[in-house]
């Protein structure tokens, strides 16, 4: 029985001596699901959008960024912005936009803007924090005015 015990002990020591895999380099991969939650936090906390008395204008994204989100999960009802929409021309100049969130050690920054008409809009950069209750907006600073 002693030789079996010695082999088991040697195997355990060898397993403990094996070096651990190195930690991953660079920022962790952020899933689009987090992007959706961050954008929803800005839509609800900053703009105060909801599905009843403050419905959002059509939604557009910056550049080639276009996450697919289940907005109803966050209590929102966005329609896609269509620059070629027919009918009321004011519809083409009414939108809310979001850029891809940028994550750091303090949460995320997201650039956003809203146009109410041809020359009536504002842009913001919002700091969003992750906490026990999910993502919440800390502060938004104005970046442009039209």
């Amino acid at each position: 029985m002693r030789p079996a015990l010695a082999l088991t002990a040697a195997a355990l020591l060898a397993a403990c001596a094996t070096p651990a895999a190195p930690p991953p380099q660079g920022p962790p991969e952020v899933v689009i699901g987090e992007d959706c939650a961050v954008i929803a936090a800005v839509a609800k906390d900053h703009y105060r959008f909801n599905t009843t008395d403050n419905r959002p204008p059509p939604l557009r994204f910056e550049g080639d960024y276009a996450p697919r989100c289940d907005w109803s999960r966050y209590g929102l009802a966005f329609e896609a912005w269509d620059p070629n929409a027919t009918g009321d021309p004011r519809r083409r100049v009414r939108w809310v936009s979001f850029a891809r969130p940028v994550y750091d050690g303090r949460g995320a920054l997201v650039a956003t803007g809203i146009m109410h008409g041809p020359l009536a809009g504002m842009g913001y950069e919002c700091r969003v924090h992750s906490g026990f209750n999910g993502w919440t907006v800390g502060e938004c600073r104005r970046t442009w005015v039209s």
Side-chain angles (χ1 to χ4, degrees):
M1 186 141 127
R2 280 192 112 139
L5 185 60
L7 284 175
T8 303
L12 285 173
L13 285 173
C16 292
T18 303
Q25 298 298 315
E29 184 72 21
V30 176
V31 296
I32 294 296
E34 290 299 305
D35 288 1
C36 297
V38 167
I39 291 167
V42 173
K44 293 177 76 173
D45 294 351
H46 176 68
Y47 291 117
R48 306 275 186 230
F49 293 146
N50 58 46
T51 58
T52 56
D53 62 334
N54 190 24
R55 295 180 64 85
L59 173 65
R60 69 181 270 198
F61 290 103
E62 302 295 325
D64 62 352
Y65 175 66
R68 287 184 248 230
C69 303
D70 178 8
W71 297 116
S72 63
R73 175 181 175 196
Y74 303 102
L76 296 165
F78 282 115
E79 295 176 20
W81 177 71
D82 180 3
N84 303 314
T86 59
D88 187 353
R90 291 176 291 181
R91 182 162 166 72
R92 289 189 300 266
V93 293
R94 280 186 24 86
W95 46 258
V96 63
S97 69
F98 295 95
R100 180 186 303 269
V102 177
Y103 299 86
D104 60 23
R106 295 178 26 213
L109 280 173
V110 62
T112 181
I114 188 166
M115 288 297 291
H116 301 285
L119 296 173
M122 296 179 125
Y124 301 91
E125 182 179 67
C126 294
R127 167 63 63 186
V128 185
H129 304 280
S130 177
F132 184 72
N133 290 327
W135 292 94
T136 56
V137 174
E139 64 279 342
C140 293
R141 71 176 183 86
R142 193 175 357 217
T143 56
W144 58 268
V145 175
S146 168

